Amino acid sequence: MAARSYLYGGDSGSDAVGGGGGSGFSSVMLTNKRVSSSSSKPLDSFFVSGSSHSFVGSRSMVSFEDKRNGSSGSFFRTFDQEDNGDDEYDDYFHHPEKKRRLKADQVQFLEKSFETENKLEPERKIQLAKELGLQPRQIAIWFQNRRARWKTKQLEKDYDVLQESYNQLKANYENLLQEKEKLKSEVLDLSDKLLLQETEKGTSDSSSTKSPFEPLQQEHVADCVNDEDVTKTSNDGIQSLLERGDSSYLFEQDQSDESLDEEDNFGKMFVTPVSGYMLPKIENGEYPELDAVNSCYLGFNGHDQDGSEDQSFGFWPY
DNA sequence: TTGTGTTTTATTGCCTCC
DNA sequence: GGAGGCAATAAAACACAA
């Protein structure tokens, strides 16, 4: 073990109460195992608990509460002040391995001190030990354990917050999925209508100019719409077109029909060559709404990069 | 009364800081 | 290298249902 000094009981703690399961009364159990420069000088273990005592020994250093017999009273009891001193003497000296809990008022005092500052400076440790009639080491241990409990509570709170956030995100994601399905069916419906329209137009006028939808076969559109990764595919198609500088597939608005543009911004849309989706047209080198369209995939596409299923899009702090 | 789960007190070992 | 903090853990004390 690293350098650690023991005031009593010699070496590490095979004979100490607690981890070692050994014996040893307060001279072991309540002893500063570590010697610190500030508070764990050898006399620390014999810390005087009350202002009226210059030295009262280990008995008065501990002021435990035994809830079973309801003993209570001042923090600063001494042997002389005990009502049933002999019995408690037996408790302390003949059952050396027993731990005693701090009294409720001692705990309350420590809690208030912890509220103001959860770290313990040596001076404050000494002061608290004086006021409570405990050893500085006990104060330090109490604060240490209290910090651990506080941390656990904080983690629980953080977990709850994250859980709530996750639930909200999940709900949003499910809403977006529903919305996406709805939009899909709308796109499919409109594509059908347009194709029908083009077909009728084609039969009546076979020499008309090519429709921008001509490359799109209806079954192809349907296939693409059913594609799980359709939005990503759409984006890929757009990117490849942009890289090729090929804008011939972009759906150009019929300039003669201004009312259509005003009513539904149809002219700001184009049909993707691969999936047949209508998407916002590029403006200033950016897709104004494409990021928003794809955002759900980036965050919640439910697939790993290798394509495997990954339904656990939640995040856990541990 | 007893078995069992939880809380509290304390130890141990490791780590960081000065 | 010493002092102190923290995580892990032990064990006593406590709570409570059966």
Side-chain angles (χ1 to χ4, degrees), chain A residues 76-224:
Chain A
F76 312 119
R77 288 176 298 166
T78 66
F79 289 142
D80 309 1
Q81 292 167 324
E82 300 289 353
D83 295 338
N84 49 352
D86 287 345
D87 290 344
E88 294 200 2
Y89 182 94
D90 287 346
D91 281 350
Y92 285 115
F93 285 95
H94 296 154
H95 302 282
E97 73 282 4
K98 281 192 175 181
K99 283 183 190 176
R100 301 298 182 91
R101 295 201 172 187
L102 302 180
K103 292 193 296 180
D105 42 3
Q106 287 175 315
V107 171
Q108 197 176 359
F109 198 89
L110 288 167
E111 287 285 352
K112 282 193 174 172
S113 180
F114 184 85
E115 278 176 22
T116 59
E117 175 61 57
N118 71 348
K119 293 273 179 155
L120 194 61
E121 306 81 22
E123 295 78 15
R124 196 156 69 103
K125 180 168 68 179
I126 299 285
Q127 183 65 29
L128 284 169
K130 271 185 184 177
E131 293 180 21
L132 296 175
L134 299 171
Q135 287 192 61
R137 172 71 178 160
Q138 284 181 285
I139 304 295
I141 288 168
W142 189 91
F143 267 75
Q144 201 158 300
N145 288 321
R146 186 65 183 79
R147 280 195 296 271
R149 290 198 293 272
W150 178 84
K151 189 177 178 182
T152 303
K153 283 272 192 296
Q154 284 301 119
L155 285 172
E156 286 172 1
K157 283 182 184 174
D158 289 347
Y159 175 84
D160 289 342
V161 168
L162 287 172
Q163 179 82 19
E164 180 61 26
S165 176
Y166 164 75
N167 289 337
Q168 283 182 5
L169 284 170
K170 192 179 175 187
N172 287 345
Y173 168 66
E174 283 163 0
N175 287 339
L176 282 171
L177 272 187
Q178 284 182 359
E179 196 173 342
K180 178 185 152 191
E181 290 304 316
K182 189 180 161 191
L183 289 171
K184 263 188 190 178
S185 61
E186 282 180 23
V187 165
L188 202 57
D189 192 39
L190 287 171
S191 298
D192 284 344
K193 284 179 181 172
L194 280 168
L195 278 170
L196 190 62
Q197 205 174 6
E198 288 300 312
T199 306
E200 287 171 354
K201 203 175 175 182
T203 54
S204 63
D205 181 12
S206 60
S207 63
S208 65
T209 55
K210 277 190 175 181
S211 160
F213 294 98
E214 196 165 340
L216 303 175
Q217 300 301 317
Q218 186 172 5
E219 52 187 325
H220 184 207
V221 170
D223 284 347
C224 293

